[in-house]
Amino acid sequence: MKDPAIPSSPVVSALPVNVFKGFLLAATGLLLFACMDSTTKYLTAHYNVPSVVAMRYLVHCALMLVILAPRHSSALIKTQRTGLTVLRGAVLTLASLCIGLALQRMPLAETTAINFLAPTLIALFASSLLGEQIGGLGWAAVITGFIGVLLIARPGSGLDAWGIVFALGAAAANAAYQVLSRLLASTEKAITLLFYTALVGTIVFGLALPFFWENKIPSSTEFILFFCMGAFGGLGHYLFTLAYRHAPASVLAPMTYLQLLWAGLLGWIVFDTVPDSYGILGMVIIAASGLLIAIKSRISSPN
């Protein structure tokens, strides 16, 4: 899954605003994130989760080294706050593991929806770690988001209990990742942060891979899927970041919830799973809580 992160300090570009182009770039990036999650879910039915996530990071890191390293060279690794940058990568690594374990146990749409609780959790983290005021609108978003999760994960929903726990863990880790992104945005380049997330994940899961590999050779189709999984993630991040050069954050922020639609469609097409009415209502409520956070951020913005 994509880290459904909205950059708190998007890069200001000299390019003219082209909202439609920004919309298309963001929508395509979000579709690629949903495709990555669908591929992850499919592969975790045949391989253990650490192996699948390891292959995702290995492909992602290799693509960055092949495509970006010759052009950006030392800019990829030069950072002013290396410790926090590495910690940010480690937190995303944990989120990737949790989301993989959740996708192995739960439908795609429900897992994606619970992970979208992250913007709501950020309001809580930012209040304690960044000294930001949560306010009445923020608390309304927090409460609304948890109501949405309860509707999805209610008793009798048929969802795996451990799957719900892992999805919530992914949401918490993703929220911490975004808070660290906000802390680092003022000193680090976006391409450097992107490379370190790929590098840390590659090192962590690469070292663990020999202990989890099931000693079976993937088929040619599975090799293609492993490659596509990493490519979907890397290209999705690139397109979504590029979207901010053409459209303002206030326009793109609500669009992240388009990934819920993509996840629902792919879950239906690929896995033949459709959320029940309560689950759909919970997804809508979680999306609404995230939109409240976006509105609060817009109102609180000094601009």
Side-chain angles (χ1 to χ4, degrees), residues 18 33 59 61 64-65 80 94 106 115 128 136 138 148 153 158 168 174-175 199 203 210 217 223 254 269 278 286 302:
N18 187 332
F33 289 139
V59 172
C61 189
M64 291 200 71
L65 288 173
Q80 296 185 41
L94 176 61
M106 294 209 309
N115 194 48
S128 58
L168 289 171
N174 193 21
L199 180 63
I203 292 173
I217 304 300
F223 267 121
I269 294 170
Y278 286 104
I286 290 175

Side-chain angles (χ1 to χ4, degrees), residues 174-192:
N174 193 21
Y177 166 80
Q178 292 183 50
V179 170
L180 286 169
S181 298
R182 188 178 301 180
L183 286 170
L184 291 165
S186 61
T187 60
E188 312 301 332
K189 294 180 179 180
I191 192 171
T192 304

Side-chain angles (χ1 to χ4, degrees), residues 145-158:
F146 280 107
I147 290 174
V149 170
L150 290 175
L151 282 171
I152 294 173
R154 71 193 185 281
S157 64

Side-chain angles (χ1 to χ4, degrees), residues 45 59 65 85 92 94 99 105 111 141 144 178 193 217 219 268 273-274 278 289 296:
V59 172
L65 288 173
T85 303
L92 183 60
L94 176 61
I99 203 68
R105 293 165 169 80
T111 303
T144 301
Q178 292 183 50
L193 293 175
I217 304 300
S219 66
W268 172 50
T273 56
V274 179
Y278 286 104
S289 74
K296 174 184 177 295

